[in-house]
Amino acid sequence: DFLKLQHENLFPVVTNLESLQSPLPVAQLAEQLRTELAAAPPAEQKQLLQKFRDREMLRVDLRHVLGLQDRFGMFSRELCTVAEVLTAVTCELCLQELQASYGLPAAPDDQPIRWSCCALGKFGGEELGFASDLELMFLYEAEGRTTGPKRLPASEFYQRFVELFQSLLGTKQGRTFAIDLRLRPYGRAGSLAVSLSGFQKYFSTDGAAWPYERQALVKLRPVAGDLQLGQQICQLRDSILYAGLPFDISAMLAMREKQRHQLTQPEVFNAKFSSGGLVDCEYLVQALQITYGHLDPSLRQANTREALKALERFGLLATVDRIRLRDAYRFLHRTIDA
């Protein structure tokens, strides 16, 4: 049925077996998408983005079904490649459209105000699976005003930027690559984009963030925007999260109890949220990272399996425990994606 709906878009993927033999690199995918968008009128951009998403996801799925991804994690990383290209190119479209009317935000000294789009959750950890959301946080450097014919405060410009991004790339909840912005400061009650100072104030140890919100920053990873600002955000996150303070075990256990109560059914094992499920593997690893991450930057991995390796190298996990956790994580992840 899916192929019937989009036969012109998807049948070339199915019939070109040679193109399925190896994953497509980010640069090639991004150039391909930019070329398609440049040749189309603005009214067709959203449809083209959706067709690109469906086509490239089908390519990744077919490589998975045909057994061409010979190592665990390849499927997730290839999905992340598609998501990163979609995110970055959609951001470019949003800037182009807004710049025509408002110019770009600048500080009082006329220096451009940089921005960054950061991935969190499964996207941040390069662990995407079937029906995964894209958890994102949009940040901008400082306050200021745009330089175009219609002037806006930087906060309003980036609010419109994210609204346009959602309009172009958004899909229904429960569908693969649905946009999820709930991990931003104050969640649904907060602005769609947050300033760097607002990020620091909210997530600092005496800020308004709940412990589980700070814990989620373990997987923060810049995927679009200014690279240097992205590095600065990571450094700020590190100073907040990896300060050597005790991990709040009681808050984590309370969150797990809430998840089990709200997201599981009695006598039915949920591979993600039940006791002994995927989330327990992830939270254990994150607890160790937050507790000991101040000792060495190599412990601050966004990817769970890479974090396990780092914890073993640093002597914080015995080899036998690392292997048991790795195998459990791999089994649960595959069960969820089955």
Side-chain angles (χ1 to χ4, degrees), residues 41-53:
E44 297 180 10
Q45 288 177 341
K46 181 172 182 176
Q47 185 180 18
L48 274 174
L49 288 169
Q50 292 172 342
K51 284 186 174 181
F52 174 87
R53 178 197 64 205

Side-chain angles (χ1 to χ4, degrees), residues 240-253:
I240 294 170
L241 196 62
Y242 302 116
L245 299 176
F247 179 75
D248 194 334
I249 296 175
S250 60
M252 183 266 283
L253 293 175

Side-chain angles (χ1 to χ4, degrees), residues 319-334:
T319 299
V320 64
D321 292 330
R322 195 270 300 175
I323 292 173
R324 291 176 65 191
L325 282 167
R326 179 204 65 188
D327 292 346
Y329 181 81
R330 181 165 52 192
F331 169 77
L332 292 165
H333 207 291
R334 284 176 167 165

Side-chain angles (χ1 to χ4, degrees), residues 209-223:
W210 291 91
Y212 73 87
E213 291 181 287
R214 293 191 191 91
Q215 183 179 332
L217 296 180
V218 168
K219 291 187 175 295
L220 183 143
R221 179 174 65 93
V223 293

Side-chain angles (χ1 to χ4, degrees), residues 179-190:
I179 306 302
D180 185 351
L181 304 175
R182 289 175 295 176
L183 289 177
R184 68 188 188 272
Y186 301 103
R188 290 191 177 96

Side-chain angles (χ1 to χ4, degrees), residues 82-313:
V82 177
E84 287 171 21
V85 169
L86 276 168
T87 300
V89 175
T90 303
C91 284
E92 292 171 9
L93 291 177
C94 295
L95 280 181
Q96 291 170 10
E97 181 169 333
L98 293 173
Q99 185 177 2
S101 298
Y102 306 109
L104 294 175
D109 60 0
D110 294 329
Q111 291 296 313
I113 295 175
R114 301 173 297 170
W115 64 275
S116 178
C117 175
C118 295
L120 295 144
K122 293 288 187 289
F123 189 15
E126 296 184 278
E127 297 159 331
L128 289 176
F130 292 117
S132 288
D133 293 341
L134 299 186
E135 295 178 282
L136 298 171
M137 187 185 299
F138 289 84
L139 300 104
Y140 59 96
E141 188 174 19
E143 297 299 339
R145 297 187 69 84
T146 59
T147 58
K150 299 178 183 178
R151 304 194 68 190
L152 290 176
S155 57
E156 186 173 342
F157 178 90
Y158 286 112
Q159 177 82 8
R160 296 190 184 195
F161 175 86
V162 181
E163 288 172 350
L164 183 56
F165 179 91
Q166 288 180 295
S167 174
L168 285 173
L169 199 57
T171 185
K172 294 180 181 178
Q173 289 297 317
R175 297 284 299 276
T176 303
F177 288 6
I179 306 302
D180 185 351
L181 304 175
R182 289 175 295 176
L183 289 177
R184 68 188 188 272
Y186 301 103
R188 290 191 177 96
S191 300
L192 293 178
V194 60
S195 68
L196 200 58
S197 62
F199 175 91
Q200 181 175 14
K201 181 179 179 181
Y202 183 79
F203 287 108
S204 64
T205 52
D206 57 351
W210 291 91
Y212 73 87
E213 291 181 287
R214 293 191 191 91
Q215 183 179 332
L217 296 180
V218 168
K219 291 187 175 295
L220 183 143
R221 179 174 65 93
V223 293
D226 187 275
L227 295 178
Q228 289 185 337
L229 180 61
Q231 292 174 353
Q232 187 177 342
I233 292 167
C234 289
Q235 291 169 358
L236 179 57
R237 180 275 312 274
D238 290 353
S239 69
I240 294 170
L241 196 62
Y242 302 116
L245 299 176
F247 179 75
D248 194 334
I249 296 175
S250 60
M252 183 266 283
L253 293 175
M255 174 54 63
R256 287 296 291 123
E257 180 60 31
K258 182 177 180 181
Q259 290 169 339
R260 285 190 291 268
H261 178 71
Q262 296 182 353
L263 302 174
T264 66
Q265 299 177 8
E267 300 181 5
V268 177
F269 181 73
N270 184 306
K272 184 174 182 180
F273 291 112
S274 289
S275 294
L278 187 78
V279 172
D280 278 337
C281 289
E282 293 178 333
Y283 281 16
L284 172 60
V285 172
Q286 290 165 16
L288 290 171
Q289 288 180 279
I290 292 171
T291 301
Y292 298 105
H294 67 286
L295 299 176
D296 194 279
S298 68
L299 297 172
R300 306 166 193 172
Q301 303 283 342
N303 181 271
T304 301
R305 293 185 73 229
E306 294 301 319
L308 283 169
K309 294 176 187 176
L311 289 165
E312 180 191 15
R313 286 194 301 268

